[in-house]
Amino acid sequence: MDKQIDNVIQHIKDLENRLGYVDNNLRYIKVIQALKYWLDKFDNQLSEEERIKGEFAAIYESYFCSGGGFSFYDRVCNSILEYKYGNRPF
């Protein structure tokens, strides 16, 4: 199970990196949608206890909790909504 979660985390990191290199709207939305998919998958693979105290608790908190403002997951979801409403970044 840890190997699967590590794989999911690696996908998320790769997509975060790719997000910095997108150069048009289609690539942007594809990366954002993929990020949401993998973040949801990461969330579903952890139990409630693992989210709080487990090995991946710090990583979970960095993606889904915020110290102020929106969390990373919220920003991804908001970006998808903005794109659907016609606000294109490029």
Side-chain angles (χ1 to χ4, degrees):
M1 179 89 166
D2 287 345
K3 187 168 177 96
Q4 290 176 342
I5 295 173
D6 286 335
N7 188 24
V8 169
I9 292 169
Q10 188 59 44
H11 277 291
I12 293 169
K13 289 179 181 180
D14 290 343
L15 288 166
E16 281 182 277
N17 188 33
R18 281 182 41 198
L19 191 59
Y21 295 104
V22 296
D23 57 354
N24 63 40
N25 288 321
L26 182 60
R27 288 187 183 137
Y28 171 77
I29 195 62
K30 293 296 180 185
V31 170
I32 289 291
Q33 288 172 338
L35 258 173
K36 183 175 183 322
Y37 170 82
W38 286 105
L39 286 167
D40 287 338
K41 190 167 185 159
F42 177 60
D43 182 44
N44 292 334
Q45 287 185 342
L46 298 177
S47 68
E48 190 64 38
E49 187 174 310
E50 288 176 321
R51 292 177 190 152
I52 297 169
K53 299 181 189 175
E55 177 182 350
F56 301 104
I59 297 169
Y60 180 86
E61 188 173 319
S62 71
Y63 289 136
F64 292 96
C65 300
S66 66
F70 293 110
S71 68
F72 179 73
Y73 181 76
D74 291 336
R75 289 187 310 230
V76 168
C77 292
N78 288 340
S79 294
I80 291 170
L81 286 174
E82 284 290 315
Y83 193 88
K84 284 182 182 179
Y85 291 136
N87 296 329
R88 306 288 194 254
F90 296 97

